[in-house]
């Protein structure tokens, strides 16, 4: 075989290889564009969360820089989408006071939420002997003496969207629910507070 034939075969192989790569890239681009068009038409909306109830079973800020608390909160989530389901792969709920976490994270079981469905959770969140900032300790003691405390109930997690057979990648979910919680004899708080949700 001459050097000319070898050169010709090498060029043919390179052309074939380039065509195969170009074909694969074009196919992947078409699939990606199709998914994006479907996604844009359906426009999945983020879920809506509402804090419905918060009951304080224990709240003690009398020890300096230490807080012990126990709450049961009722939170509902609504999927506003007509054609998109939501997988809640991981949800953790906890309470904060002035952006300081005062209870450990409590897990909510993973679930799937269909179109227009509403799910309700009523977990207990407890913090035993949690160290708090000295500035916050004084403020919490004052609020406890006044009979109510302003907290933020937070939910962090991971969600996926389901459109037909297509399931998206995981997205971070951040939910923030402000709550004035009565303490002592008025410890049951029935209210409806809309939560801020970001994905």
């Amino acid at each position: 075989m001459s050097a000319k034939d070898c050169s010709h075969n090498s060029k043919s192989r390179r052309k074939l290889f380039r065509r195969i790569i170009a074909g694969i890239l074009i196919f992947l681009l078409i699939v990606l564009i199709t998914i994006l068009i479907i996604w844009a038409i359906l426009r999945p909306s983020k879920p809506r969360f509402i804090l419905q109830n918060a009951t304080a079973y224990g709240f003690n800020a009398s020890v300096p820089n230490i807080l012990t608390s126990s709450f049961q909160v009722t939170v509902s989530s609504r999927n506003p989408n007509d054609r998109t389901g939501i997988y809640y792969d991981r949800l953790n709920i906890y309470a904060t006071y002035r952006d300081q976490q005062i209870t450990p994270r409590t897990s909510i079981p993973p679930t799937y939420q269909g179109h227009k469905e509403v799910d309700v959770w009523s977990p207990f969140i407890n913090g035993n002997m949690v160290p708090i900032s000295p500035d916050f300790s004084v403020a919490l003691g004052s609020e406890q003496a006044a009979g109510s405390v302003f907290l933020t109930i937070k939910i962090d997690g991971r969600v996926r969207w389901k459109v037909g057979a297509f399931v998206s990648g995981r997205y971070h979910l951040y939910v923030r629910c402000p709550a004035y919680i009565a303490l002592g004899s008025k410890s049951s708080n029935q209210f409806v507070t809309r939560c801020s949700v970001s994905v």
Side-chain angles (χ1 to χ4, degrees):
M1 186 179 283
S2 68
K4 188 176 180 182
D5 290 338
C6 284
S7 173
H8 183 268
N9 283 341
S10 177
K11 285 181 183 177
S12 296
R13 281 191 201 119
R14 279 191 216 129
K15 269 188 180 179
L16 180 62
F17 182 71
R18 284 186 193 139
R19 285 182 181 167
I20 290 171
I21 295 295
I24 290 170
L25 289 175
I26 289 169
F27 174 75
L28 290 174
L29 184 63
I30 290 169
V31 168
L32 183 62
I33 289 171
T34 304
I35 290 169
L36 288 175
I37 289 171
I38 291 169
W39 193 259
I41 290 169
L42 296 175
R43 287 186 197 169
S45 299
K46 58 191 175 186
R48 295 179 186 150
F49 280 77
I50 292 174
L51 179 63
Q52 296 178 336
N53 185 22
T55 303
Y57 289 103
F59 192 88
N60 186 353
S62 58
V63 178
N65 307 329
I66 298 291
L67 175 65
T68 297
S69 59
S70 178
F71 307 98
Q72 182 178 23
V73 294
T74 301
V75 180
S76 67
S77 167
R78 180 177 182 270
N79 178 0
N81 298 291
D82 289 323
R83 298 181 184 89
T84 307
I86 302 172
Y87 284 105
Y88 294 98
D89 291 331
R90 191 191 72 212
L91 291 175
N92 293 309
I93 187 167
Y94 56 99
T96 63
Y97 179 76
R98 297 186 183 180
D99 285 330
Q100 181 178 350
Q101 187 172 333
I102 60 169
T103 64
R105 294 168 183 258
T106 299
S107 292
I108 296 173
T111 188
Y112 172 75
Q113 191 173 55
H115 319 143
K116 301 288 187 182
E117 281 187 5
V118 175
D119 286 326
V120 179
W121 301 287
S122 292
F124 283 90
I125 51 177
N126 306 295
N128 188 25
M129 303 291 287
V130 176
I132 54 174
S133 160
D135 295 339
F136 295 170
S137 181
V138 172
L140 273 172
S142 299
E143 290 187 36
Q144 181 179 1
S148 67
V149 64
F150 180 73
L151 302 177
T152 303
I153 305 301
K154 296 186 177 183
I155 302 172
D156 296 339
R158 296 277 186 123
V159 295
R160 290 177 295 153
W161 311 99
K162 183 178 186 292
V163 181
F166 171 74
V167 178
S168 75
R170 287 182 173 85
Y171 290 85
H172 288 279
L173 174 75
Y174 302 98
V175 181
R176 304 295 179 256
C177 307
Y180 272 105
I181 300 177
L183 305 172
S185 58
K186 304 174 186 174
S187 61
S188 185
N189 298 266
Q190 292 286 341
F191 49 77
V192 174
T193 302
R194 186 167 290 234
C195 306
S196 66
V197 179
S198 58
V199 178

